[in-house]
């Protein structure tokens, strides 16, 4: 049994909480009596564990940049208790064998729930549907399907995919990027790209696909999720779709809530990401959209790359940024400190809503007796400075190096296990979480 | 700090140097002058003007030596100043180089190289307003306004009215 | 004077640009003399690091460096370790170990020169000799030099000079550098191109935009034709070479509309018969050969200002 004393909930109550056998067994107003062996929750906020619906853990295939184990450590350090891993591994997660392998690696790491996302098409090549049913029936119980990194650009394939996943209440997570409008694209198309001479990635290449897929989702009455929305126009389209009652959900990344395309002016590939950093106007629209709930969730698009893929000229650089360990802090900085969202809003966008969309029953639940013990302790008043060399992720490609950010995650409880204690990730043996 | 030459001393020195140049070259028929910027160029103009008055017309130019300096890699780069060829050029002429202060001789060494880029005069002579000694190269002046023994730690500052608003030579310790 | 690197025309102030042009003028005079070689950069090593073929630019920089007595190493991507996949970083570190004082870099990736200058890969002065579709600052300097040389009104700067830049603005590093430099020097620049070959965002540039060559040509002082790459046709930037040539090429009838004192420029290499007719290229108004010649003087000036003194930190 684990006892937590004196932690504050998002509603302001200060409580003591007991965990036993993976569930919360007791919550009562705090007696503020720190008995032997109890976890000191004073001056800390206790919130549900964060859920990331969009992570790249690179295993199998690119274990030099991240593994399920190192990615799990990064997730825990960032306050996550569940991550969904994108299918663009090598081999691609387009069959039951690969998704089960990833699922097992996650179990062995034993730090967070690792839920593989299945590919929509074989080899992510956009031509032929993968065996989504087999992946859904596997032990990984895949419900989210995505060709992320690539867009399912063929409208007929997209239509079929949306229809097909209805049999097991699946959802298609679309990487919205019209490929013909983004040939060789390197950064947002606009004033900055014109000046610095990099091929542009226009906002409408994203919006055209969002618009098309919204209409497809309406037509076939299926669930659509839009990955990493980056444009003001995209937010407007999703607002329109929701008003019409179309089953669309959307995510925004922490980096798109903070960074803008003028950072690319020094040609440092650390700012190279797909979809690209946009303008201040887009950033403001994304923040408003998230606050309003038009954008349902925050997802990291954690994309680890080895240093040689960033220590180079811009064109040669890889797309992507690591984000698991900075996500909560960046969202607090951009949404809570600015007064756009409350802590309960943040808990919804980073835990409750993603768990609901993904169908993770043990995640994103209320802090109540009988609920699975997936929650974290954070110090909301402490600030820290990002040091890329101290990241738990195997890759160091963070755009926030040297930036001072609010909120420190101190403790993580995953399925009742105290997996991070005062910032220290405990050495979990393979399979020790008992399932 | 002390005044070494007054305005009238400078006038007299220029006149004497001019006479010596005419004397030495037996007239001005094959003579051209080139001053080394900044102040050497103004001195050359003054000498040219005086010689023209008393003996006859003589060509005058400006020779920038920046690209030939041997201390380039020891200091920040300097802008290149315009080099002006004297009317009629320097080929086969008796060329008198004019500078304000003769010190280590390195400027004149660079000037001789710079002349080599421009052509092949019959002879090159050197006129300076002040020779303060401390030569580091085997170079001497043919025409000297005033010899001033100095300590190596001192410096000699020439002011000319075209550039500094007054005529004056001072010693700065 | 400029210091450090020359990566973009925006590194130059009006004063430093005019200073460079004045230095170039002096150097041009000297190298027109009997002895073309100056001792100024003796003992310095200039590396021409060319990841793209450009014989013209390379030999221009090479002769500029040699006339200042620098040692020149030509490092071209073809047939070197670069074609075997060596990274820019490793190449730069190799050149650093070989004691390069300046690196003249031509690269297909926009920003490659800036990366070389900003990272710690190499300490040398970096000169951008064309990076992707970004900039080519020495081309803009030699163009400004050539305009000043030919237009009487531009003795001091380029105030009031009307310049047309015609063609593939979208992919042109020459156009970007020229827009920055020429407007800084006071010129009025008009870009003439089909909308497909103008970047989105061009409206923020301090220039006039026109789709119609004929409407602009009559009262301009300078018409600068840009090279059009034929492969753009396959990407539907324009329907055919014939149509492009007809609407945006400098032909005899357009040449006749030019004012008496106007000049015709082209950064080369030309596609005769496509963006410029043979008659236009060889006309008396054409100063294309002068551009090539002035390129050497301008590049000498850049090398002198960047390398002529002591390295920063080692000055007496």
């Amino acid at each position: 049994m684990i006892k937590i004393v004196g932690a504050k909930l998002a509603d302001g109550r200060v409580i003591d909480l007991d965990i036993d056998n993976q569930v919360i067994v007791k919550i009562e107003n705090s007696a503020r009596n720190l008995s032997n062996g109890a976890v000191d929750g004073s001056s800390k906020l206790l919130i549900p564990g964060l859920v990331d619906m969009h992570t790249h853990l690179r295993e199998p295939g690119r274990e030099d940049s991240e593994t399920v184990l190192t990615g799990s450590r990064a997730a825990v350090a960032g306050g996550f208790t569940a991550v969904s891993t994108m299918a663009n591994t090598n081999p691609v997660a387009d069959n039951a064998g690969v998704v089960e392998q990833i699922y097992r690696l996650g179990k062995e790491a034993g730090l967070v729930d690792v839920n593989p996302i299945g590919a929509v098409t074989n080899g992510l090549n956009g031509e032929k549907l993968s065996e989504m049913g087999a992946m859904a029936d596997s032990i990984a119980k895949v419900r989210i399907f995505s060709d992320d990194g690539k867009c399912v650009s063929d409208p007929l394939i997209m239509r079929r995919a949306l229809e097909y996943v209805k049999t097991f209440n699946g959802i298609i997570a679309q990487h919205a990027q019209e490929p013909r409008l983004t040939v060789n694209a390197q950064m947002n198309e606009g004033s900055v790209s014109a000046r610095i001479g990099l091929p542009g990635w226009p906002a409408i290449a994203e919006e055209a696909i969002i618009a098309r897929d919204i209409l497809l989702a309406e037509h076939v009455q299926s669930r659509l999720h839009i990955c990493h929305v980056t444009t003001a126009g995209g937010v407007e389209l999703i607002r329109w779709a929701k008003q019409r009652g179309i089953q669309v959900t959307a995510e925004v990344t922490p980096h798109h809530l903070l960074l803008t395309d003028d950072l690319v002016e020094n040609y440092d590939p650390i700012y190279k990401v797909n979809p690209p950093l946009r303008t201040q106007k887009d950033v403001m629209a994304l923040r408003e959209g998230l606050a309003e709930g038009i954008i349902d969730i925050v997802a990291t698009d954690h994309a680890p790359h080895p240093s040689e893929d960033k220590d180079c000229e811009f064109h040669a650089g890889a797309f992507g940024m690591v984000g698991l360990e900075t996500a909560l802090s960046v969202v607090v900085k951009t949404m809570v400190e600015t007064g756009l969202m409350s802590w309960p809003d943040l808990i919804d966008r980073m835990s409750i809503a993603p768990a609901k969309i993904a169908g993770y029953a043990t995640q994103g639940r209320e802090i109540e007796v009988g609920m699975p013990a997936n929650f974290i302790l954070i110090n909301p008043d402490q600030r820290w400075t990002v040091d890329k060399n101290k990241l738990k992720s195997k890759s160091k490609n963070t755009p926030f190096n040297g930036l001072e950010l609010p909120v420190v995650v101190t403790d993580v409880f995953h399925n009742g296990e105290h997996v991070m204690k005062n910032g220290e990730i405990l050495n979990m043996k393979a399979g020790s979480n008992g399932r | 700090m002390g005044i070494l030459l007054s305005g009238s001393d400078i006038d007299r020195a220029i006149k004497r140097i001019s006479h010596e140049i005419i004397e030495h070259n037996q007239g001005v028929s094959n003579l051209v002058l080139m001053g080394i910027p900044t102040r050497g160029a103004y001195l050359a103009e003054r000498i040219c003007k005086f010689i023209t008055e008393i003996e006859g017309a003589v060509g005058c130019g400006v020779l920038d030596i920046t690209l030939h300096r041997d201390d380039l890699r020891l200091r920040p780069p300097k802008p290149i100043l315009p080099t002006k060829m004297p009317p009629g050029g320097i080929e086969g002429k008796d060329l008198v180089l004019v500078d304000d202060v003769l010190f280590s001789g390195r400027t004149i060494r660079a000037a001789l190289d710079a002349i080599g880029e421009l052509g092949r005069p019959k002879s090159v002579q050197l006129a300076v307003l002040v020779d303060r000694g401390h030569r580091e190269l085997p170079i001497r002046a043919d025409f000297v306004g005033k010899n001033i023994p100095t300590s190596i730690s001192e410096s000699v500052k020439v002011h000319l009215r075209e550039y500094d608003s007054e005529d004056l030579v001072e010693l700065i310790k | 004077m400029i210091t450090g690197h020359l990566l973009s025309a925006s590194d130059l102030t009006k004063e430093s640009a005019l200073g460079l042009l004045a230095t170039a003028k002096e150097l041009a005079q000297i190298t027109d003399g009997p002895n073309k070689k100056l001792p100024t950069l003796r003992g310095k090593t200039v590396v021409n690091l060319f990841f793209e073929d450009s014989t013209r630019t390379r030999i221009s920089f090479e002769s500029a460096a040699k006339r200042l007595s620098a040692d020149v190493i030509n490092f071209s991507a073809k047939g070197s370790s670069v074609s075997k996949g060596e990274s820019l970083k490793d190449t730069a570190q190799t050149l650093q170990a070989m004691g390069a004082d300046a690196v003249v870099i031509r690269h297909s990736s926009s920003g490659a020169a800036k990366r070389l200058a900003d990272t710690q890969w190499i300490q040398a002065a970096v000169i951008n000799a064309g990076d992707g579709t970004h900039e080519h600052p020495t081309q803009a300097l030699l163009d400004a030099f050539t305009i000043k040389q030919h237009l009487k009104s531009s003795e001091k700067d380029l105030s009031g000079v009307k310049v047309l830049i015609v063609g593939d603005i979208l992919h042109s590093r020459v156009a970007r550098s020229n827009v920055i430099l020429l407007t800084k020097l006071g010129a009025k620049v008009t870009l003439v191109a089909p909308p497909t070959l103008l970047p989105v965002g061009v409206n923020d540039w301090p220039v006039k935009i026109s789709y119609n060559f004929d409407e602009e040509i009559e009262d301009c002082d300078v018409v600068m034709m840009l090279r059009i790459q034929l492969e753009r046709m396959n990407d539907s930037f324009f329907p055919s070479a014939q149509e492009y040539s007809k609407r945006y090429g400098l032909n005899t009838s357009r040449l006749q509309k030019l004012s008496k004192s106007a000049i015709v420029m082209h950064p080369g290499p030309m596609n005769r018969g496509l963006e410029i007719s043979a008659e236009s290229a060889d006309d008396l108004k054409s100063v294309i050969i002068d551009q090539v010649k002035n390129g050497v003087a301008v590049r000498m000036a850049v090398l002198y200002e960047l390398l002529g003194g002591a390295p920063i930190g080692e000055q007496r």
Side-chain angles (χ1 to χ4, degrees):
Chain A
M1 186 165 96
I2 299 171
K3 198 173 182 64
I4 296 154
V5 175
K8 199 174 182 179
L9 298 180
D11 62 13
R13 278 187 298 152
V14 178
I15 50 107
D16 295 344
L17 178 150
D18 292 355
I19 306 170
D20 197 16
N21 197 21
Q22 303 181 14
V23 293
I24 300 170
V25 292
K26 189 164 95 180
I27 298 178
E28 55 189 26
N29 285 338
S30 180
R32 296 172 203 263
N33 179 12
L34 197 63
S35 57
N36 251 0
V39 178
D40 184 4
S42 58
S43 78
K44 297 197 181 135
L45 204 54
L46 189 156
I47 64 173
L50 307 180
V51 176
D52 186 11
M53 247 183 76
H54 191 150
T55 306
H56 298 267
L57 295 190
R58 305 295 187 219
E59 189 175 4
R62 285 305 301 266
E63 290 84 354
D64 58 325
S65 50
E66 196 83 285
T67 64
V68 171
L69 177 62
T70 60
S72 295
R73 293 171 66 84
V76 168
F80 289 90
T81 50
V83 296
S84 314
T85 65
M86 278 297 173
N88 62 341
T89 49
N90 184 14
V92 171
D94 58 5
N95 60 73
V98 176
V99 294
E100 288 196 353
Q101 180 194 355
I102 294 164
Y103 182 78
R104 281 204 189 92
L105 287 166
K107 285 288 173 221
E108 282 167 19
L111 292 167
V112 296
D113 290 358
V114 174
N115 299 296
I117 291 172
V120 177
T121 63
N122 279 338
L124 308 175
N125 61 20
E127 288 166 8
K128 200 167 171 295
L129 291 186
S130 64
E131 291 183 344
M132 291 188 274
M135 289 188 270
D137 293 343
S138 75
I139 57 162
K141 296 193 178 56
V142 178
R143 289 294 179 276
I144 309 171
F145 296 89
S146 179
D147 277 0
D148 181 64
K150 289 184 175 175
C151 180
V152 182
S153 65
D154 182 328
L156 184 63
I157 296 287
M158 188 61 184
R159 175 200 168 136
R160 298 280 189 253
L162 284 166
E163 286 173 316
Y164 191 75
V165 296
K166 285 163 73 174
T167 47
F168 37 84
N169 193 29
I171 185 165
I172 303 292
Q174 174 69 297
H175 171 119
Q177 175 181 6
E178 164 38 56
R180 287 289 292 151
L181 290 174
T182 51
V183 173
N184 193 28
Q186 299 288 314
M187 69 172 296
N188 180 47
E189 182 169 68
S191 194
V192 180
S193 68
R195 188 165 67 249
I196 73 172
L198 285 173
W201 197 134
I204 57 108
E206 177 171 329
E207 292 153 6
I209 295 293
I210 294 176
R212 181 199 75 180
D213 288 355
I214 285 169
L215 297 174
L216 280 175
E218 181 180 39
H219 183 61
V220 302
Q221 289 291 300
S222 185
R223 288 207 298 154
L224 169 69
H225 180 75
I226 307 293
C227 296
H228 39 51
V229 176
T230 64
T231 74
V235 176
E236 281 315 298
L237 288 165
I238 294 160
R239 184 194 311 275
W240 175 85
K242 288 192 166 176
Q243 279 163 0
R244 278 175 71 111
I246 300 169
Q247 298 178 77
V248 59
T249 53
E251 72 191 32
V252 62
T253 72
H255 48 270
H256 288 116
L257 289 172
L258 183 60
L259 308 178
T260 48
D261 65 346
D262 51 327
L263 289 165
V264 180
E265 275 189 28
N266 63 9
Y267 298 98
D268 188 341
I270 201 75
Y271 299 112
K272 182 168 175 175
V273 64
N274 188 17
L277 303 178
R278 303 283 187 191
T279 67
Q280 190 61 29
K281 176 177 150 269
D282 295 304
V283 166
M284 288 309 171
L286 292 171
R287 289 184 185 181
E288 279 163 30
L290 182 65
E292 244 183 282
I294 301 298
I295 296 176
D296 304 79
I297 66 168
V298 174
T300 65
D301 196 5
H302 176 83
H305 290 289
S307 68
E308 65 268 25
D309 287 348
K310 290 289 186 181
D311 203 8
C312 56
E313 57 274 32
F314 201 84
H315 274 87
F319 288 102
M321 303 168 165
V322 292
L324 283 168
E325 293 166 74
T326 47
L328 175 63
S329 292
V330 171
V331 176
V332 170
K333 178 184 170 74
T334 54
M335 303 300 297
V336 178
E337 289 194 338
T338 53
L340 288 167
M341 283 193 343
S342 63
W343 274 99
D345 292 335
L346 179 139
I347 291 163
D348 176 69
R349 308 300 190 272
M350 296 190 78
S351 178
I352 299 170
K356 228 175 249 168
I357 294 167
Y360 302 149
T362 62
Q363 296 287 341
R365 304 300 297 266
E366 301 77 8
I367 306 297
E368 280 173 14
V369 171
M371 288 297 172
N374 285 310
F375 58 83
I376 63 177
L377 288 174
I378 61 177
N379 190 331
D381 302 319
Q382 200 182 338
R383 300 182 77 84
W384 63 295
T385 301
V386 181
D387 176 352
K388 64 178 180 177
N389 296 313
K390 290 186 178 158
L391 294 180
K392 301 286 187 288
S393 171
K394 207 168 192 176
S395 292
K396 311 302 174 194
N397 53 310
T398 173
F400 305 118
N401 190 41
L403 187 70
E404 195 196 76
L405 290 172
V407 182
V408 171
V409 180
T410 62
D411 293 78
V412 176
F413 298 86
H414 172 242
N415 285 334
E417 301 262 9
H418 198 173
V419 293
M420 186 164 87
K421 195 172 188 175
N422 249 331
E424 290 287 312
I425 296 172
L426 303 181
N427 273 329
M428 303 295 293
K429 293 266 160 47
S432 68
N433 62 350
R435 275 203 296 178
Chain B
M1 196 167 88
I3 309 288
L4 298 174
L5 295 177
S6 68
S8 49
D9 292 339
I10 292 174
D11 274 349
R12 274 193 295 278
I14 286 172
K15 284 176 184 164
R16 185 169 50 73
I17 289 171
S18 303
H19 282 293
E20 285 176 11
I21 290 172
I22 298 166
E23 178 86 29
H24 183 83
N25 291 288
Q26 294 165 346
V28 296
S29 56
N30 199 43
L31 190 67
V32 290
L33 304 175
M34 286 190 96
I36 298 171
T38 307
R39 291 175 187 79
Y42 296 118
L43 285 172
E45 269 174 36
R46 288 198 202 180
I47 292 170
C48 169
K49 189 158 169 261
F50 189 68
I51 291 178
T52 304
E53 277 171 22
I54 61 172
E55 187 73 21
V58 57
C60 184
V62 177
L63 181 69
D64 182 54
I65 58 138
T66 312
L67 296 166
H68 297 272
R69 299 181 69 100
D70 63 0
D71 59 354
L72 276 176
R73 68 200 56 211
L74 302 176
R75 20 196 295 171
K78 287 186 162 184
I80 300 175
L81 300 167
T83 286
K84 285 189 208 117
M85 287 290 271
I90 61 167
E91 202 64 34
K93 300 281 187 175
D94 292 307
L95 168 62
V96 180
L97 274 175
V98 183
D99 203 1
D100 53 353
V101 179
L102 179 58
F103 182 28
S104 69
R106 290 180 189 271
T107 301
I108 305 306
R109 202 270 321 144
L112 292 172
D113 282 357
I115 288 170
E117 306 291 345
L118 302 176
R120 188 175 184 280
K122 179 162 168 277
S123 70
V124 180
Q125 299 153 36
L126 175 62
V128 298
L129 184 60
V130 173
D131 182 348
R132 58 165 294 196
H134 304 292
R135 214 75 76 240
E136 294 168 4
L137 295 171
I139 281 169
R140 63 165 179 79
D142 301 276
F143 315 104
V144 179
K146 191 174 169 72
N147 281 294
I148 301 173
T150 58
S151 138
I152 190 84
S153 61
E154 294 167 330
S155 70
V156 173
K157 181 86 181 116
V158 174
H159 300 254
L160 293 178
R161 60 177 179 271
E162 294 92 333
Y163 196 74
D164 308 290
S165 78
E166 59 175 345
D167 277 0
L168 195 68
V169 177
E170 59 180 354
L171 183 70
I172 299 168
K173 291 184 194 272
Chain C
M1 301 288 286
I2 54 172
T3 50
H5 311 286
L6 180 61
L7 308 174
S8 157
S10 56
D11 293 348
L12 300 165
T13 61
K14 183 175 176 181
E15 288 67 37
S16 65
L18 289 172
L20 259 175
L21 297 180
T23 299
K25 196 173 168 189
E26 288 306 314
L27 290 166
Q29 262 176 26
I30 295 169
T31 53
D32 274 349
N35 185 349
K36 286 194 173 64
K37 200 155 176 126
L38 291 162
T40 316
L41 297 184
R42 203 147 51 194
K44 303 273 185 177
T45 301
V46 174
V47 177
N48 284 323
L49 179 57
F50 275 57
F51 290 86
E52 275 185 345
D53 285 337
S54 175
T55 310
R56 305 163 67 90
T57 306
R58 184 182 55 72
I59 61 175
S60 181
F61 270 106
E62 185 171 351
S63 55
K66 283 182 170 166
R67 284 183 192 183
L68 291 171
S69 301
D71 294 324
V72 177
I73 298 172
N74 286 315
F75 191 113
S76 85
K78 269 191 189 146
S80 73
S81 47
V82 173
S83 54
K84 294 169 198 139
E86 186 179 76
S87 72
L88 180 60
K89 179 181 177 176
D90 289 336
T91 304
Q93 287 176 339
T94 304
L95 298 178
Q96 171 73 12
M98 286 162 58
D101 296 294
V103 175
V104 176
I105 179 175
R106 163 67 68 101
H107 200 288
S108 60
S109 175
S110 299
K114 184 156 173 60
R115 285 294 282 162
L116 212 53
D118 286 355
T119 54
Q120 298 304 310
W121 302 338
I122 190 167
Q123 306 306 316
V126 177
I127 300 169
N128 184 1
D131 61 327
T133 54
H134 177 224
E135 280 209 48
H136 192 358
T138 59
Q139 177 73 39
L141 281 165
L142 76 88
D143 288 340
F145 187 97
T146 308
I147 294 170
K148 285 191 87 215
Q149 186 179 45
H150 285 274
L151 295 186
K152 288 197 183 70
S153 62
S154 60
E155 186 73 31
K156 196 166 138 273
D157 55 24
L158 302 185
S159 292
V161 174
K162 191 178 169 194
V163 181
L164 294 190
I165 304 178
V166 185
D168 184 358
I169 309 294
L170 178 63
H171 300 97
S172 176
R173 47 197 170 210
V174 176
R176 276 177 185 76
S177 286
N178 264 308
V179 165
I180 294 167
L181 184 68
L182 300 184
T183 56
K184 201 170 266 181
L185 295 179
K188 289 193 180 72
V189 176
T190 302
L191 304 179
V192 179
T196 47
L197 292 174
L198 286 164
V200 166
V202 75
N203 291 331
D204 297 342
W205 296 7
V207 297
K208 182 183 165 190
I209 307 289
S210 172
Y211 307 142
N212 191 324
F213 197 2
D214 292 310
E215 279 174 11
E216 304 298 329
I217 196 163
E218 281 177 24
D219 63 337
C220 73
D221 303 301
V222 176
V223 54
M224 188 183 293
M225 304 305 299
L226 300 175
R227 177 181 170 81
I228 193 88
Q229 313 247 332
L230 271 177
E231 58 264 29
R232 304 287 178 224
M233 201 167 70
N234 304 328
D235 289 335
S236 288
F237 285 103
F238 51 90
S240 70
Q242 290 79 1
E243 179 156 329
Y244 181 86
S245 183
K246 200 165 167 220
R247 296 175 77 89
Y248 295 100
L250 185 61
N251 51 31
T252 311
S253 74
R254 288 196 176 106
L255 192 67
Q256 283 163 355
K257 287 188 194 165
L258 280 169
S259 78
K260 216 172 158 189
S261 60
I263 56 172
V264 172
M265 305 177 77
H266 192 296
M270 289 183 278
N271 292 308
R272 284 175 184 251
L274 183 47
E275 74 267 4
I276 188 164
S277 69
E279 305 83 67
S280 306
D282 300 332
D283 191 83
L284 284 175
K285 290 183 184 307
S286 163
V287 297
I288 296 166
I289 296 301
D290 292 338
Q291 286 175 274
V292 175
K293 186 168 178 221
N294 294 336
V296 177
V298 159
R299 284 160 183 144
M300 285 174 77
V302 170
L303 287 169
Y304 168 68
E305 292 206 359
L306 290 179
L307 292 186
I312 295 160
E314 287 175 28
Q315 289 166 5
R316 192 162 66 182

